[in-house]
Amino acid sequence: MSADGFIGGPPPGARPDWTIDQDWNGYSADEHRVWMTLYERQTALLPGRACDPFLKGLDALDLHRGGIPDFERINEELVRLTGWRVVAVPGLVPDDVFFDHLANRRFPAGQFIRRPDQLDYLQEPDVFHDVFGHVPMLTDPVFADYMEAYGKGGQRALSLGRLHNLARLYWYTVEFGLMDTPEGLRIYGAGIVSSKTESIFALDDPSPNRLGFELERVMRTPYRIDDFQQVYFVIPSLQTLLDVTLRDFGPIYDRLATAADIPIEAVEADDRVATRGTQAYANAGGRLAGA
Ligand code: HBI
Ligand code: FE
């Protein structure tokens, strides 16, 4: 069993890099209908909530063609725009496999789609979370560079035993990041933009903290995998995110080795505070309590 809980090699039918054929013709009408339901729900909600690079990417990739997109079709445009391509995987893949794909501009997307009774939440990334949530941002050249740099950083973090710090950077940016714009806060994180309820909660709810992004602060902050985030970090621009990641993390990891985690609900004295949250949602028990 490796550190991330995987036993041995790829599942039967998967290649050594854990990729599989998407088999787009194998999707049923019901599966395409789940995509369309989710797609129509999110695209009705996201104008004014998702950032411009996301909305532009959604259009550029023409993801509304009646169902689960054919990765080969998406890749013709995506490769032309930023050199990224989507590859199909059965689900979560080991960290080292994941980082190797990102470092080579391959985004591993779940091949399966959630069932109709899982519309609002599922733990494992399916094709809607990955392709609707993550892929449109990969059409932006700066974010495309960030994701490659993240992959390379992940490989190094693994070798230094600092994966848990780098996973927090991914979580609070790629998955749950917010961006400041002249029109107000906008979403760029895939975990938010692919979720109807969190697309509203992350921007509108008084419960979570919304704090200025600062690399070491983020790396010291645990995150929720089972419910809405209790804190969101706000970047001024995608360029800032890229510039931060191109720094040498060695000295940062050295400082993190003796720095305690920051409690998830805390607001620190030197935090730049956009919203000082009430934590009312989390304190009421969150989703499980039907808050
Ligand atoms: N595998 N398919 C897939 N998708 C992910 O987002 C993913 C993964 N494996 C590992 C992983 N993410 C995390 O370790 C990173 O987010 C740090
Ligand atoms: Fe994701």
Side-chain angles (χ1 to χ4, degrees):
M1 175 86 80
S2 59
D4 42 24
F6 283 90
I7 301 171
R15 289 178 277 270
D17 63 0
W18 287 63
T19 58
I20 57 174
D21 294 336
Q22 182 188 12
D23 184 21
W24 184 80
N25 293 309
Y27 290 120
S28 70
D30 285 348
E31 287 173 310
H32 284 299
R33 199 167 298 115
V34 170
W35 173 280
M36 281 318 295
T37 303
L38 291 166
Y39 184 88
E40 283 159 4
R41 207 169 69 167
Q42 287 312 99
T43 48
L45 183 62
L46 291 175
R49 289 182 180 277
C51 66
D52 287 346
F54 177 86
L55 296 172
K56 277 171 58 183
L58 211 49
D59 282 345
L61 297 178
D62 195 14
L63 290 186
H64 47 71
R65 286 235 198 114
I68 299 170
D70 183 339
F71 295 180
E72 279 178 28
R73 181 184 65 77
I74 299 180
N75 286 339
E76 283 162 23
E77 181 64 10
L78 186 57
V79 168
R80 192 182 65 75
L81 287 170
T82 59
W84 274 85
R85 69 182 57 251
V86 186
V87 292
V89 290
L92 287 173
V93 304
D95 295 327
D96 60 326
V97 172
F98 183 65
F99 295 128
D100 183 62
H101 281 303
L102 297 189
N104 291 284
R105 297 208 171 208
R106 295 187 302 266
F107 189 81
Q111 184 273 347
F112 73 100
I113 193 157
R114 67 194 74 179
R115 297 189 313 271
D117 64 299
Q118 295 174 305
L119 282 191
D120 282 326
Y121 186 77
L122 82 164
Q123 191 84 16
E124 181 129 358
D126 71 339
V127 66
F128 188 77
H129 169 91
D130 281 327
V131 173
F132 182 89
H134 283 283
V135 172
M137 287 299 294
L138 292 173
T139 63
D140 178 276
V142 175
F143 193 80
D145 288 354
Y146 171 67
M147 286 292 276
E148 177 185 343
Y150 182 86
K152 290 173 176 156
Q155 292 171 316
R156 181 143 182 270
L158 272 177
S159 67
L160 298 172
R162 303 304 313 182
L163 178 69
H164 66 291
N165 295 117
L166 204 82
R168 289 168 173 174
L169 174 62
Y170 188 87
W171 197 266
Y172 281 119
T173 57
V174 180
E175 293 295 358
F176 292 95
L178 298 180
M179 175 189 306
D180 202 3
T181 77
E183 296 76 35
L185 295 187
R186 291 292 183 267
I187 302 162
Y188 71 96
I192 307 176
V193 84
S194 59
S195 158
K196 174 185 167 200
T197 46
E198 196 150 9
S199 294
I200 296 166
F201 179 87
L203 292 182
D204 299 353
D205 201 286
S207 181
N209 297 324
R210 296 178 184 90
L211 307 175
F213 174 88
E214 197 281 317
L215 181 64
E216 289 185 39
R217 171 63 162 89
V218 168
M219 287 185 157
R220 293 177 56 197
T221 308
Y223 53 80
R224 299 293 297 267
I225 61 165
D226 58 346
D227 208 338
F228 296 157
Q229 298 310 307
Q230 294 183 248
V231 55
Y232 296 96
F233 289 95
V234 181
I235 59 172
S237 69
L238 293 174
Q239 188 62 49
T240 308
L241 196 55
L242 176 60
D243 295 345
V244 150
T245 314
L246 295 179
R247 286 165 50 187
D248 173 18
F249 282 10
I252 296 170
Y253 289 148
D254 293 344
R255 286 196 293 275
L256 286 172
T258 55
D261 280 356
I262 294 171
I264 193 168
E265 74 285 349
V267 175
E268 301 273 283
D270 51 357
D271 280 335
R272 282 172 287 119
V273 180
T275 310
R276 184 181 296 274
T278 64
Q279 298 300 335
Y281 173 83
N283 295 342
R287 187 167 53 85
L288 301 180

